[in-house]
């Protein structure tokens, strides 16, 4: 009944919750959870560690309770201060409570569970904590929080990279492992993807066990997987959905490319919008696929690159956006990584700076994120050095690549973690 135990713990946050078939209130809970997900966009967060006694029993994660960012920090602080210095963050694109109920093999069919390795890890872990509903904002800032608490920059790793790392129990390390969630599209059903993700979790933990490395691990997601479906269900919109107009497919624009002797920087977004004094302008059609786009000031070498975009008569003046990318070699991962050190906005003889250090990835990959924005509701990956700022920016479905590989838009190799 291991799968049922995991599902019960995810649903209620209690280590000793009853099995699903002993829960007459389950339908009401799932409807309440669906409504909560629609309103607040919560995701589950599962924590476990190789150390003992990191978490006291959580008494307030009852049915329907939403863990805030402040509450989450009270759970994480002791684990990060007293527990192992190696922290793993398994981050899916999408995950919801319903994934555990639908694919957890909860009706006695343990062999059908898509979470066998996760269940095994929780059962064997000396310490574990399950938070069924964590506020989206808390999760969106989780990487930054972990980085600040550990004093270590995040390393995006896969299995091959992990085997090359030389982790030290006394030195902090923040390892980020992306786990994709793909909705049914004729290619892979959600259960197949979740099972594959669970196998990755098992392989990573097996690697750490073979090297006798102490660790604390967390599994969560960027956003819930069931929002679109639940909006229709909760609003009673199944009939109305049939009457809604078909949404036109998004227009795919070619990326901006800066070349010298070869392609050096590629930049793409589904939407590129900026605001000055709260007046917004959409620059998408003025940027992508434009033959005469002004790239004056762009440059590239082995250690630093600048993509410079200049627009005439934007907010009544000439405005230049400079994306500054650094390329560095990190011995711990034995590879080069690029980081967007900052974004500069030049106008009227002044410069506005945004820190953007969370935009990072191995040089052989591109960086991709659903939103790169200065707005808190979009994740705040761009942080103005001077607050409040007269400028705001949002890049939807943002992707950037520096130096190697030219198939950036189709590769989607590296995803954001905010």
């Amino acid at each position: 009944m291991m799968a049922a135990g995991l599902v019960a713990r995810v649903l209620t946050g209690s280590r000793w919750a009853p099995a699903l078939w002993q829960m007459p209130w389950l339908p009401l809970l799932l409807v309440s959870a669906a409504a909560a997900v629609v309103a607040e966009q919560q995701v589950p967060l599962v924590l476990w560690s190789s150390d003992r006694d990191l978490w006291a029993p959580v008494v307030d994660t009852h049915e329907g309770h939403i863990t805030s960012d402040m509450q989450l920090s009270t759970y994480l602080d002791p684990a990060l201060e007293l527990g192992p210095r190696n922290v793993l963050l398994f981050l899916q694109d999408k995950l919801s409570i319903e994934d555990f109920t639908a694919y957890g093999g909860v009706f006695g069919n343990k062999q059908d569970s898509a979470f066998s390795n996760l269940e095994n890890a929780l059962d064997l872990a000396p310490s574990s904590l399950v938070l069924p509903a964590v506020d989206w904002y808390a999760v969106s800032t989780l990487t930054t929080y972990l980085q600040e608490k550990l004093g270590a920059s995040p390393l995006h790793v896969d299995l091959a990279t992990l085997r090359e790392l030389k982790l030290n129990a006394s030195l902090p390390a923040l390892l980020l492992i992306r786990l994709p969630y793909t909705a049914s599209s004729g290619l892979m059903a959600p259960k197949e993807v979740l099972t594959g993700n669970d196998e990755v979790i098992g392989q990573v933990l097996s690697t750490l066990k073979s090297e006798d490395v102490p660790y604390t691990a967390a599994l969560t997601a960027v956003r819930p997987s069931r929002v679109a479906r639940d909006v229709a269900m909760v609003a009673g919109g199944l009939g109305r959905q049939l009457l809604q107009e078909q949404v036109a497919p998004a227009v795919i624009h070619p990326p901006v490319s800066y070349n010298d002797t070869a392609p050096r920087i590629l930049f793409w977004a589904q939407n590129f919008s900026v605001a000055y004094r709260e007046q917004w302008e959409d620059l998408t059609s003025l940027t992508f696929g434009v033959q005469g786009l002004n790239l004056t000031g762009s440059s590239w070498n082995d250690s630093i690159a600048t993509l410079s975009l200049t627009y005439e008569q934007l907010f009544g003046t000439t405005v230049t956006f400079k994306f500054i990318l650094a390329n560095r070699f990190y011995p711990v991962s034995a590879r080069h990584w690029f980081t967007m050190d900052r974004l500069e906005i030049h106008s009227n003889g002044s410069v506005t700076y945004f820190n953007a250090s969370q935009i990072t990835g191995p040089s052989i990959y591109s960086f991709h994120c659903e939103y790169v924005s200065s707005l808190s509701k979009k994740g705040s990956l761009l942080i103005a050095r001077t607050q409040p700022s007269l400028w705001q920016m949002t890049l939807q479905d943002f992707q950037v690549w520096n130096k190697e590989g030219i198939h950036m838009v189709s590769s989607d190799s590296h995803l954001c973690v905010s």
Side-chain angles (χ1 to χ4, degrees):
M1 304 303 178
M2 190 184 303
L6 170 64
V7 174
R9 286 159 62 186
V10 170
L11 282 170
T12 68
S14 170
R15 192 174 181 86
W16 306 113
L20 277 178
W21 48 86
Q22 296 173 316
M23 300 179 184
W25 37 261
L26 176 61
L28 177 61
L29 167 61
L30 291 180
V31 172
S32 300
V37 165
V38 172
E40 299 291 345
Q41 292 202 0
Q42 301 98 35
V43 293
L45 175 64
V46 183
L47 296 157
W48 69 99
S49 179
S50 58
D51 271 19
R52 295 185 178 277
D53 303 322
L54 292 186
W55 297 288
V58 180
V59 296
D60 60 352
T61 54
H62 51 77
E63 297 83 9
H65 177 79
I66 300 169
T67 302
S68 67
D69 55 338
M70 295 298 293
Q71 289 174 318
L72 182 59
S73 66
T74 64
Y75 301 145
L76 292 176
D77 282 350
L80 298 174
E81 293 168 1
L82 305 175
R85 304 301 288 160
N86 294 302
V87 175
L88 309 177
L89 177 56
F90 295 97
L91 193 64
Q92 290 193 177
D93 289 344
K94 303 176 183 178
L95 186 65
S96 287
I97 294 172
E98 294 92 339
D99 289 315
F100 292 98
T101 62
Y103 308 116
V106 297
F107 298 108
N109 301 320
K110 177 183 172 183
Q111 68 276 10
D112 292 334
S113 174
F115 304 99
S116 58
N117 287 295
L118 177 60
E119 295 160 6
N120 187 57
L122 289 174
D123 277 358
L124 296 179
S127 298
S128 65
L129 177 67
V130 175
L131 302 173
V134 179
D135 181 73
W136 175 86
Y137 175 76
V139 173
S140 72
T141 59
L142 182 58
T143 304
T144 301
Y145 171 83
L146 293 174
Q147 180 177 348
E148 292 176 351
K149 294 293 291 186
L150 292 171
S153 297
L155 291 176
H156 301 257
V157 299
D158 51 25
L159 284 173
T161 306
L162 183 64
R163 295 187 181 103
E164 296 173 1
L165 294 178
K166 301 299 181 184
L167 297 175
N168 188 317
S170 62
L171 296 177
L174 174 55
L175 308 181
L176 306 179
I177 301 98
R178 286 301 304 233
L179 303 173
Y181 184 111
T182 304
S184 297
S185 61
L187 298 177
M188 294 183 70
K191 184 177 180 180
E192 293 179 79
V193 178
L194 291 169
T195 301
N197 292 346
D198 184 71
E199 291 175 358
V200 172
I201 293 174
Q203 292 169 5
V204 168
L205 298 182
S206 177
T207 299
L208 294 180
K209 183 178 179 180
S210 67
E211 298 179 0
D212 196 26
V213 176
Y215 68 89
T216 294
L219 168 66
T220 188
V222 175
R223 58 190 182 277
S225 60
R226 305 287 170 136
V227 170
R229 187 202 68 185
D230 291 338
V231 167
M233 289 179 60
V234 174
L238 290 177
R240 290 196 298 271
Q241 190 176 29
L242 296 176
L243 300 177
Q244 291 174 349
E245 295 182 3
Q246 292 287 337
V247 177
V251 177
I252 303 300
H253 313 280
V256 172
S257 176
Y258 171 70
N259 314 303
D260 47 26
T261 58
R264 299 300 188 186
I265 307 171
L266 292 177
F267 159 62
W268 187 84
Q270 181 62 40
N271 180 272
F272 175 19
S273 295
V274 298
Y276 179 69
R277 296 183 182 273
E278 300 185 355
Q279 177 187 345
W280 284 90
E281 292 286 347
D282 187 343
L283 302 182
T284 309
S285 62
L286 301 177
T287 305
F288 304 103
V290 176
Q291 294 291 332
L293 182 63
N294 188 346
L295 300 179
T296 302
S298 299
S299 62
W300 177 90
N301 61 42
D302 286 335
S303 59
I304 196 78
T306 300
L307 179 64
S308 180
L309 310 176
T310 298
Y311 302 84
E312 305 288 343
Q313 296 304 312
L314 179 61
F315 304 111
T317 187
T318 298
V319 181
T320 298
F321 301 92
K322 291 188 176 183
F323 300 85
I324 314 297
L325 302 132
N327 191 44
R328 303 180 180 91
F329 181 77
Y330 291 90
V332 68
S333 60
R335 63 172 61 182
H336 284 84
W337 289 63
F338 73 88
T339 301
M340 185 179 291
D341 278 359
R342 65 189 183 277
L343 164 67
E344 300 177 0
I345 303 178
H346 297 249
S347 66
N348 291 326
S350 65
V351 184
T352 300
Y353 297 92
F354 288 85
N355 293 327
S357 58
Q358 291 188 67
I359 301 174
T360 184
S363 294
I364 61 173
Y365 296 141
S366 67
F367 174 93
H368 174 228
C369 190
E370 183 180 13
Y371 285 104
V372 168
S373 176
S374 59
L375 304 178
S376 59
K377 65 181 180 181
K378 301 295 185 183
S380 297
L381 286 188
L382 299 176
I383 302 173
R385 293 187 186 177
T386 302
Q387 298 283 356
S389 175
L390 297 178
W391 289 90
Q392 302 290 343
M393 177 182 292
T394 292
L395 294 149
Q396 181 181 356
D397 206 8
F398 170 87
Q399 198 161 2
V400 67
W401 164 87
N402 180 30
K403 187 179 178 181
E404 299 182 28
I406 60 174
H407 301 297
M408 178 201 68
V409 171
S410 60
S411 70
D412 201 25
S413 303
H414 196 77
L415 301 177
C416 71
V417 245
S418 67

